[in-house]
mmCIF file of all heavy atoms in Angstrom:
data_model
loop_
_atom_site.group_PDB
_atom_site.id
_atom_site.type_symbol
_atom_site.label_atom_id
_atom_site.label_comp_id
_atom_site.label_asym_id
_atom_site.label_seq_id
_atom_site.Cartn_x
_atom_site.Cartn_y
_atom_site.Cartn_z
ATOM 1 N N GLN A 1 187.965 44.268 128.380
ATOM 2 C CA GLN A 1 187.683 45.482 129.130
ATOM 3 C C GLN A 1 187.077 45.143 130.482
ATOM 4 O O GLN A 1 185.955 44.654 130.582
ATOM 5 C CB GLN A 1 186.735 46.382 128.324
ATOM 6 C CG GLN A 1 186.517 47.767 128.899
ATOM 7 C CD GLN A 1 185.396 47.804 129.918
ATOM 8 O OE1 GLN A 1 184.432 47.046 129.852
ATOM 9 N NE2 GLN A 1 185.522 48.685 130.882
ATOM 10 N N ASP A 2 187.857 45.363 131.541
ATOM 11 C CA ASP A 2 187.423 45.189 132.941
ATOM 12 C C ASP A 2 186.918 43.782 133.263
ATOM 13 O O ASP A 2 186.230 43.588 134.268
ATOM 14 C CB ASP A 2 186.352 46.222 133.304
ATOM 15 C CG ASP A 2 186.366 46.533 134.791
ATOM 16 O OD1 ASP A 2 187.387 46.280 135.446
ATOM 17 O OD2 ASP A 2 185.347 47.032 135.314
ATOM 18 N N ASN A 3 187.242 42.819 132.402
ATOM 19 C CA ASN A 3 186.845 41.438 132.681
ATOM 20 C C ASN A 3 188.010 40.471 132.534
ATOM 21 O O ASN A 3 187.812 39.281 132.312
ATOM 22 C CB ASN A 3 185.684 41.031 131.767
ATOM 23 C CG ASN A 3 184.346 41.573 132.256
ATOM 24 O OD1 ASN A 3 183.700 41.018 133.129
ATOM 25 N ND2 ASN A 3 183.948 42.705 131.694
ATOM 26 N N GLY A 4 189.230 40.994 132.645
ATOM 27 C CA GLY A 4 190.403 40.149 132.766
ATOM 28 C C GLY A 4 190.920 39.558 131.465
ATOM 29 O O GLY A 4 190.471 39.877 130.360
ATOM 30 N N THR A 5 191.889 38.661 131.620
ATOM 31 C CA THR A 5 192.476 37.916 130.511
ATOM 32 C C THR A 5 191.959 36.490 130.552
ATOM 33 O O THR A 5 191.936 35.854 131.607
ATOM 34 C CB THR A 5 194.016 37.909 130.614
ATOM 35 O OG1 THR A 5 194.490 39.259 130.508
ATOM 36 C CG2 THR A 5 194.638 37.067 129.510
ATOM 37 N N TRP A 6 191.546 35.999 129.384
ATOM 38 C CA TRP A 6 190.980 34.655 129.267
ATOM 39 C C TRP A 6 191.836 33.822 128.317
ATOM 40 O O TRP A 6 192.258 34.298 127.268
ATOM 41 C CB TRP A 6 189.542 34.730 128.759
ATOM 42 C CG TRP A 6 188.636 35.386 129.761
ATOM 43 C CD1 TRP A 6 188.437 36.726 129.941
ATOM 44 C CD2 TRP A 6 187.838 34.726 130.752
ATOM 45 N NE1 TRP A 6 187.555 36.948 130.977
ATOM 46 C CE2 TRP A 6 187.177 35.733 131.489
ATOM 47 C CE3 TRP A 6 187.625 33.391 131.078
ATOM 48 C CZ2 TRP A 6 186.313 35.440 132.538
ATOM 49 C CZ3 TRP A 6 186.754 33.106 132.117
ATOM 50 C CH2 TRP A 6 186.113 34.118 132.835
ATOM 51 N N THR A 7 192.096 32.583 128.709
ATOM 52 C CA THR A 7 193.027 31.735 127.966
ATOM 53 C C THR A 7 192.434 30.354 127.723
ATOM 54 O O THR A 7 191.863 29.748 128.640
ATOM 55 C CB THR A 7 194.357 31.589 128.739
ATOM 56 O OG1 THR A 7 194.879 32.894 129.017
ATOM 57 C CG2 THR A 7 195.370 30.796 127.937
ATOM 58 N N LEU A 8 192.583 29.893 126.499
ATOM 59 C CA LEU A 8 192.147 28.551 126.105
ATOM 60 C C LEU A 8 193.362 27.763 125.648
ATOM 61 O O LEU A 8 194.102 28.213 124.778
ATOM 62 C CB LEU A 8 191.123 28.638 124.974
ATOM 63 C CG LEU A 8 190.720 27.311 124.315
ATOM 64 C CD1 LEU A 8 189.949 26.431 125.293
ATOM 65 C CD2 LEU A 8 189.889 27.574 123.063
ATOM 66 N N ILE A 9 193.571 26.618 126.247
ATOM 67 C CA ILE A 9 194.663 25.727 125.852
ATOM 68 C C ILE A 9 194.073 24.443 125.299
ATOM 69 O O ILE A 9 193.228 23.807 125.930
ATOM 70 C CB ILE A 9 195.597 25.420 127.036
ATOM 71 C CG1 ILE A 9 196.205 26.710 127.603
ATOM 72 C CG2 ILE A 9 196.701 24.450 126.623
ATOM 73 C CD1 ILE A 9 197.079 27.468 126.632
ATOM 74 N N ASP A 10 194.515 24.090 124.089
ATOM 75 C CA ASP A 10 194.100 22.843 123.447
ATOM 76 C C ASP A 10 192.591 22.803 123.225
ATOM 77 O O ASP A 10 191.921 21.818 123.514
ATOM 78 C CB ASP A 10 194.551 21.632 124.284
ATOM 79 C CG ASP A 10 194.642 20.364 123.444
ATOM 80 O OD1 ASP A 10 194.921 20.474 122.237
ATOM 81 O OD2 ASP A 10 194.420 19.274 123.999
ATOM 82 N N GLY A 11 192.053 23.898 122.692
ATOM 83 C CA GLY A 11 190.620 23.964 122.452
ATOM 84 C C GLY A 11 190.231 23.364 121.118
ATOM 85 O O GLY A 11 191.030 23.311 120.175
ATOM 86 N N GLY A 12 189.002 22.923 121.016
ATOM 87 C CA GLY A 12 188.477 22.334 119.791
ATOM 88 C C GLY A 12 187.435 23.222 119.149
ATOM 89 O O GLY A 12 187.207 24.354 119.573
ATOM 90 N N GLU A 13 186.790 22.718 118.118
ATOM 91 C CA GLU A 13 185.758 23.482 117.429
ATOM 92 C C GLU A 13 184.555 23.698 118.338
ATOM 93 O O GLU A 13 184.295 22.925 119.259
ATOM 94 C CB GLU A 13 185.318 22.753 116.162
ATOM 95 C CG GLU A 13 186.391 22.694 115.075
ATOM 96 C CD GLU A 13 185.873 22.082 113.798
ATOM 97 O OE1 GLU A 13 184.669 21.752 113.751
ATOM 98 O OE2 GLU A 13 186.655 21.942 112.842
ATOM 99 N N GLY A 14 183.816 24.762 118.063
ATOM 100 C CA GLY A 14 182.616 25.042 118.853
ATOM 101 C C GLY A 14 182.939 25.777 120.137
ATOM 102 O O GLY A 14 184.009 26.356 120.302
ATOM 103 N N MET A 15 182.009 25.747 121.086
ATOM 104 C CA MET A 15 182.165 26.434 122.362
ATOM 105 C C MET A 15 183.227 25.738 123.213
ATOM 106 O O MET A 15 183.305 24.506 123.252
ATOM 107 C CB MET A 15 180.838 26.472 123.116
ATOM 108 C CG MET A 15 179.724 27.182 122.360
ATOM 109 S SD MET A 15 180.000 28.943 122.156
ATOM 110 C CE MET A 15 179.724 29.509 123.827
ATOM 111 N N ASN A 16 184.031 26.539 123.912
ATOM 112 C CA ASN A 16 185.071 26.003 124.783
ATOM 113 C C ASN A 16 185.071 26.731 126.118
ATOM 114 O O ASN A 16 184.655 27.888 126.214
ATOM 115 C CB ASN A 16 186.453 26.183 124.139
ATOM 116 C CG ASN A 16 186.703 25.219 122.999
ATOM 117 O OD1 ASN A 16 187.275 24.157 123.179
ATOM 118 N ND2 ASN A 16 186.260 25.609 121.805
ATOM 119 N N ASN A 17 185.566 26.065 127.140
ATOM 120 C CA ASN A 17 185.721 26.681 128.449
ATOM 121 C C ASN A 17 187.103 27.334 128.543
ATOM 122 O O ASN A 17 188.129 26.659 128.421
ATOM 123 C CB ASN A 17 185.571 25.647 129.564
ATOM 124 C CG ASN A 17 184.147 25.169 129.707
ATOM 125 O OD1 ASN A 17 183.206 25.948 129.576
ATOM 126 N ND2 ASN A 17 183.974 23.882 129.966
ATOM 127 N N PHE A 18 187.129 28.647 128.749
ATOM 128 C CA PHE A 18 188.372 29.391 128.903
ATOM 129 C C PHE A 18 188.744 29.505 130.378
ATOM 130 O O PHE A 18 187.879 29.474 131.248
ATOM 131 C CB PHE A 18 188.228 30.794 128.315
ATOM 132 C CG PHE A 18 188.352 30.860 126.811
ATOM 133 C CD1 PHE A 18 187.423 30.230 126.000
ATOM 134 C CD2 PHE A 18 189.388 31.560 126.225
ATOM 135 C CE1 PHE A 18 187.525 30.302 124.615
ATOM 136 C CE2 PHE A 18 189.506 31.632 124.840
ATOM 137 C CZ PHE A 18 188.578 31.004 124.035
ATOM 138 N N SER A 19 190.028 29.667 130.658
ATOM 139 C CA SER A 19 190.517 29.895 132.015
ATOM 140 C C SER A 19 190.714 31.385 132.244
ATOM 141 O O SER A 19 191.229 32.099 131.369
ATOM 142 C CB SER A 19 191.845 29.164 132.238
ATOM 143 O OG SER A 19 191.694 27.774 132.094
ATOM 144 N N TYR A 20 190.328 31.851 133.421
ATOM 145 C CA TYR A 20 190.462 33.253 133.800
ATOM 146 C C TYR A 20 191.853 33.422 134.408
ATOM 147 O O TYR A 20 192.074 33.108 135.574
ATOM 148 C CB TYR A 20 189.367 33.582 134.810
ATOM 149 C CG TYR A 20 189.237 35.022 135.215
ATOM 150 C CD1 TYR A 20 189.091 36.029 134.277
ATOM 151 C CD2 TYR A 20 189.210 35.379 136.561
ATOM 152 C CE1 TYR A 20 188.932 37.347 134.650
ATOM 153 C CE2 TYR A 20 189.045 36.701 136.957
ATOM 154 C CZ TYR A 20 188.913 37.677 135.995
ATOM 155 O OH TYR A 20 188.753 38.990 136.379
ATOM 156 N N THR A 21 192.811 33.905 133.614
ATOM 157 C CA THR A 21 194.212 33.860 134.046
ATOM 158 C C THR A 21 194.727 35.166 134.622
ATOM 159 O O THR A 21 195.804 35.186 135.227
ATOM 160 C CB THR A 21 195.123 33.439 132.872
ATOM 161 O OG1 THR A 21 194.910 34.296 131.754
ATOM 162 C CG2 THR A 21 194.817 32.000 132.468
ATOM 163 N N ARG A 22 194.006 36.284 134.414
ATOM 164 C CA ARG A 22 194.409 37.534 135.066
ATOM 165 C C ARG A 22 193.193 38.427 135.206
ATOM 166 O O ARG A 22 192.385 38.536 134.300
ATOM 167 C CB ARG A 22 195.501 38.263 134.273
ATOM 168 C CG ARG A 22 196.072 39.459 135.027
ATOM 169 C CD ARG A 22 197.367 39.975 134.428
ATOM 170 N NE ARG A 22 197.936 41.000 135.298
ATOM 171 C CZ ARG A 22 199.119 41.583 135.109
ATOM 172 N NH1 ARG A 22 199.869 41.223 134.080
ATOM 173 N NH2 ARG A 22 199.567 42.505 135.940
ATOM 174 N N SER A 23 193.073 39.083 136.362
ATOM 175 C CA SER A 23 191.880 39.874 136.653
ATOM 176 C C SER A 23 192.070 41.323 136.234
ATOM 177 O O SER A 23 193.115 41.726 135.733
ATOM 178 C CB SER A 23 191.565 39.800 138.148
ATOM 179 O OG SER A 23 192.649 40.319 138.905
ATOM 180 N N GLY A 24 191.028 42.129 136.459
ATOM 181 C CA GLY A 24 191.067 43.541 136.110
ATOM 182 C C GLY A 24 190.869 43.755 134.624
ATOM 183 O O GLY A 24 190.236 42.957 133.933
ATOM 184 N N ASP A 25 191.416 44.848 134.114
ATOM 185 C CA ASP A 25 191.353 45.106 132.678
ATOM 186 C C ASP A 25 192.419 44.280 131.974
ATOM 187 O O ASP A 25 193.610 44.405 132.255
ATOM 188 C CB ASP A 25 191.591 46.586 132.391
ATOM 189 C CG ASP A 25 190.374 47.424 132.681
ATOM 190 O OD1 ASP A 25 189.487 47.491 131.816
ATOM 191 O OD2 ASP A 25 190.314 48.009 133.772
ATOM 192 N N GLY A 26 191.992 43.441 131.034
ATOM 193 C CA GLY A 26 192.948 42.702 130.229
ATOM 194 C C GLY A 26 193.371 43.538 129.039
ATOM 195 O O GLY A 26 192.617 44.374 128.551
ATOM 196 N N ALA A 27 194.602 43.319 128.556
ATOM 197 C CA ALA A 27 195.099 44.103 127.433
ATOM 198 C C ALA A 27 195.892 43.201 126.494
ATOM 199 O O ALA A 27 195.418 42.134 126.118
ATOM 200 C CB ALA A 27 195.939 45.277 127.950
ATOM 201 N N PHE A 28 197.110 43.610 126.132
ATOM 202 C CA PHE A 28 197.945 42.877 125.174
ATOM 203 C C PHE A 28 198.159 41.433 125.612
ATOM 204 O O PHE A 28 198.458 41.160 126.778
ATOM 205 C CB PHE A 28 199.286 43.592 125.040
ATOM 206 C CG PHE A 28 200.299 42.871 124.196
ATOM 207 C CD1 PHE A 28 200.252 42.933 122.812
ATOM 208 C CD2 PHE A 28 201.296 42.123 124.795
ATOM 209 C CE1 PHE A 28 201.189 42.269 122.036
ATOM 210 C CE2 PHE A 28 202.245 41.458 124.024
ATOM 211 C CZ PHE A 28 202.188 41.526 122.647
ATOM 212 N N THR A 29 198.010 40.501 124.669
ATOM 213 C CA THR A 29 198.316 39.084 124.912
ATOM 214 C C THR A 29 199.135 38.547 123.749
ATOM 215 O O THR A 29 198.995 38.994 122.613
ATOM 216 C CB THR A 29 197.038 38.238 125.051
ATOM 217 O OG1 THR A 29 196.218 38.444 123.887
ATOM 218 C CG2 THR A 29 196.254 38.610 126.294
ATOM 219 N N GLU A 30 199.987 37.569 124.043
ATOM 220 C CA GLU A 30 200.828 36.976 122.995
ATOM 221 C C GLU A 30 201.383 35.648 123.478
ATOM 222 O O GLU A 30 201.788 35.515 124.638
ATOM 223 C CB GLU A 30 201.979 37.911 122.658
ATOM 224 C CG GLU A 30 202.760 37.521 121.414
ATOM 225 C CD GLU A 30 202.157 38.083 120.139
ATOM 226 O OE1 GLU A 30 201.964 39.299 120.061
ATOM 227 O OE2 GLU A 30 201.901 37.287 119.211
ATOM 228 N N PHE A 31 201.387 34.643 122.590
ATOM 229 C CA PHE A 31 202.078 33.379 122.840
ATOM 230 C C PHE A 31 203.450 33.426 122.170
ATOM 231 O O PHE A 31 203.596 34.003 121.094
ATOM 232 C CB PHE A 31 201.290 32.198 122.253
ATOM 233 C CG PHE A 31 200.025 31.862 122.968
ATOM 234 C CD1 PHE A 31 198.808 32.334 122.509
ATOM 235 C CD2 PHE A 31 200.037 31.069 124.101
ATOM 236 C CE1 PHE A 31 197.630 32.024 123.159
ATOM 237 C CE2 PHE A 31 198.857 30.744 124.757
ATOM 238 C CZ PHE A 31 197.652 31.221 124.290
ATOM 239 N N ASP A 32 204.452 32.809 122.802
ATOM 240 C CA ASP A 32 205.721 32.662 122.103
ATOM 241 C C ASP A 32 205.589 31.551 121.069
ATOM 242 O O ASP A 32 204.608 30.794 121.058
ATOM 243 C CB ASP A 32 206.857 32.368 123.085
ATOM 244 C CG ASP A 32 206.925 30.908 123.467
ATOM 245 O OD1 ASP A 32 205.904 30.359 123.917
ATOM 246 O OD2 ASP A 32 207.994 30.293 123.296
ATOM 247 N N ASP A 33 206.558 31.439 120.166
ATOM 248 C CA ASP A 33 206.415 30.504 119.046
ATOM 249 C C ASP A 33 206.629 29.049 119.427
ATOM 250 O O ASP A 33 206.324 28.152 118.637
ATOM 251 C CB ASP A 33 207.347 30.891 117.896
ATOM 252 C CG ASP A 33 208.789 31.041 118.337
ATOM 253 O OD1 ASP A 33 209.061 30.889 119.549
ATOM 254 O OD2 ASP A 33 209.645 31.327 117.481
ATOM 255 N N ASN A 34 207.134 28.784 120.630
ATOM 256 C CA ASN A 34 207.335 27.401 121.077
ATOM 257 C C ASN A 34 206.285 26.952 122.082
ATOM 258 O O ASN A 34 206.356 25.838 122.596
ATOM 259 C CB ASN A 34 208.725 27.237 121.696
ATOM 260 C CG ASN A 34 209.831 27.421 120.682
ATOM 261 O OD1 ASN A 34 209.734 26.944 119.551
ATOM 262 N ND2 ASN A 34 210.886 28.117 121.077
ATOM 263 N N ASN A 35 205.334 27.853 122.389
ATOM 264 C CA ASN A 35 204.285 27.543 123.363
ATOM 265 C C ASN A 35 204.844 27.262 124.754
ATOM 266 O O ASN A 35 204.265 26.509 125.534
ATOM 267 C CB ASN A 35 203.446 26.349 122.899
ATOM 268 C CG ASN A 35 201.992 26.725 122.717
ATOM 269 O OD1 ASN A 35 201.668 27.873 122.433
ATOM 270 N ND2 ASN A 35 201.114 25.763 122.857
ATOM 271 N N ASP A 36 205.987 27.883 125.077
ATOM 272 C CA ASP A 36 206.557 27.747 126.416
ATOM 273 C C ASP A 36 205.973 28.765 127.377
ATOM 274 O O ASP A 36 205.948 28.540 128.581
ATOM 275 C CB ASP A 36 208.082 27.920 126.371
ATOM 276 C CG ASP A 36 208.778 26.794 125.626
ATOM 277 O OD1 ASP A 36 208.274 25.658 125.699
ATOM 278 O OD2 ASP A 36 209.807 27.056 124.989
ATOM 279 N N TYR A 37 205.529 29.894 126.830
ATOM 280 C CA TYR A 37 204.987 30.934 127.694
ATOM 281 C C TYR A 37 204.014 31.809 126.908
ATOM 282 O O TYR A 37 203.964 31.776 125.679
ATOM 283 C CB TYR A 37 206.097 31.805 128.300
ATOM 284 C CG TYR A 37 206.874 32.639 127.304
ATOM 285 C CD1 TYR A 37 206.439 33.915 126.928
ATOM 286 C CD2 TYR A 37 208.072 32.181 126.748
ATOM 287 C CE1 TYR A 37 207.145 34.688 126.021
ATOM 288 C CE2 TYR A 37 208.788 32.952 125.845
ATOM 289 C CZ TYR A 37 208.324 34.206 125.490
ATOM 290 O OH TYR A 37 209.032 34.974 124.595
ATOM 291 N N MET A 38 203.248 32.583 127.645
ATOM 292 C CA MET A 38 202.393 33.609 127.072
ATOM 293 C C MET A 38 202.615 34.889 127.844
ATOM 294 O O MET A 38 203.124 34.880 128.983
ATOM 295 C CB MET A 38 200.917 33.205 127.130
ATOM 296 C CG MET A 38 200.384 32.994 128.528
ATOM 297 S SD MET A 38 198.599 32.677 128.585
ATOM 298 C CE MET A 38 197.959 34.341 128.339
ATOM 299 N N ILE A 39 202.265 36.010 127.239
ATOM 300 C CA ILE A 39 202.329 37.299 127.915
ATOM 301 C C ILE A 39 200.914 37.803 128.097
ATOM 302 O O ILE A 39 200.113 37.819 127.159
ATOM 303 C CB ILE A 39 203.164 38.305 127.109
ATOM 304 C CG1 ILE A 39 204.627 37.848 127.080
ATOM 305 C CG2 ILE A 39 203.061 39.706 127.707
ATOM 306 C CD1 ILE A 39 205.507 38.651 126.179
ATOM 307 N N GLU A 40 200.586 38.181 129.317
ATOM 308 C CA GLU A 40 199.282 38.748 129.625
ATOM 309 C C GLU A 40 199.509 40.101 130.297
ATOM 310 O O GLU A 40 200.553 40.323 130.920
ATOM 311 C CB GLU A 40 198.465 37.803 130.507
ATOM 312 C CG GLU A 40 199.191 37.340 131.755
ATOM 313 C CD GLU A 40 198.459 36.232 132.495
ATOM 314 O OE1 GLU A 40 197.519 35.656 131.929
ATOM 315 O OE2 GLU A 40 198.822 35.962 133.650
ATOM 316 N N SER A 41 198.550 40.984 130.191
ATOM 317 C CA SER A 41 198.789 42.369 130.589
ATOM 318 C C SER A 41 197.634 42.927 131.395
ATOM 319 O O SER A 41 196.480 42.516 131.255
ATOM 320 C CB SER A 41 199.008 43.240 129.347
ATOM 321 O OG SER A 41 199.991 42.693 128.508
ATOM 322 N N TYR A 42 198.004 43.889 132.228
ATOM 323 C CA TYR A 42 197.045 44.725 132.942
ATOM 324 C C TYR A 42 197.168 46.125 132.335
ATOM 325 O O TYR A 42 197.755 46.293 131.268
ATOM 326 C CB TYR A 42 197.356 44.698 134.439
ATOM 327 C CG TYR A 42 196.396 45.454 135.320
ATOM 328 C CD1 TYR A 42 195.021 45.234 135.239
ATOM 329 C CD2 TYR A 42 196.866 46.390 136.232
ATOM 330 C CE1 TYR A 42 194.141 45.929 136.043
ATOM 331 C CE2 TYR A 42 195.988 47.088 137.050
ATOM 332 C CZ TYR A 42 194.630 46.859 136.948
ATOM 333 O OH TYR A 42 193.759 47.559 137.747
ATOM 334 N N VAL A 43 196.631 47.142 132.947
ATOM 335 C CA VAL A 43 196.652 48.483 132.373
ATOM 336 C C VAL A 43 198.028 49.122 132.492
ATOM 337 O O VAL A 43 198.841 48.756 133.333
ATOM 338 C CB VAL A 43 195.597 49.377 133.043
ATOM 339 C CG1 VAL A 43 194.205 48.826 132.795
ATOM 340 C CG2 VAL A 43 195.858 49.489 134.549
#
């Protein structure tokens, strides 16, 4: 909500650093099954 889309690639256990990949209100997200792409959304 109003803090964008956050993405973690190859993360491990515990706390991880996420990348801020889209600004504004973040919404629906999805990875494809081959890890070739992800879908990120705005309002």
Side-chain angles (χ1 to χ4, degrees):
Q1 188 273 329
D2 207 20
N3 281 278
T5 297
W6 294 84
T7 305
L8 172 67
I9 301 297
D10 202 30
E13 292 185 3
M15 300 293 288
N16 286 266
N17 289 322
F18 281 64
S19 298
Y20 187 54
T21 54
R22 188 166 187 175
S23 60
D25 283 278
F28 174 80
T29 55
E30 191 87 55
F31 289 97
D32 82 306
D33 53 358
N34 294 319
N35 241 28
D36 293 327
Y37 66 87
M38 61 174 283
I39 293 173
E40 52 189 13
S41 308
Y42 183 52
V43 298

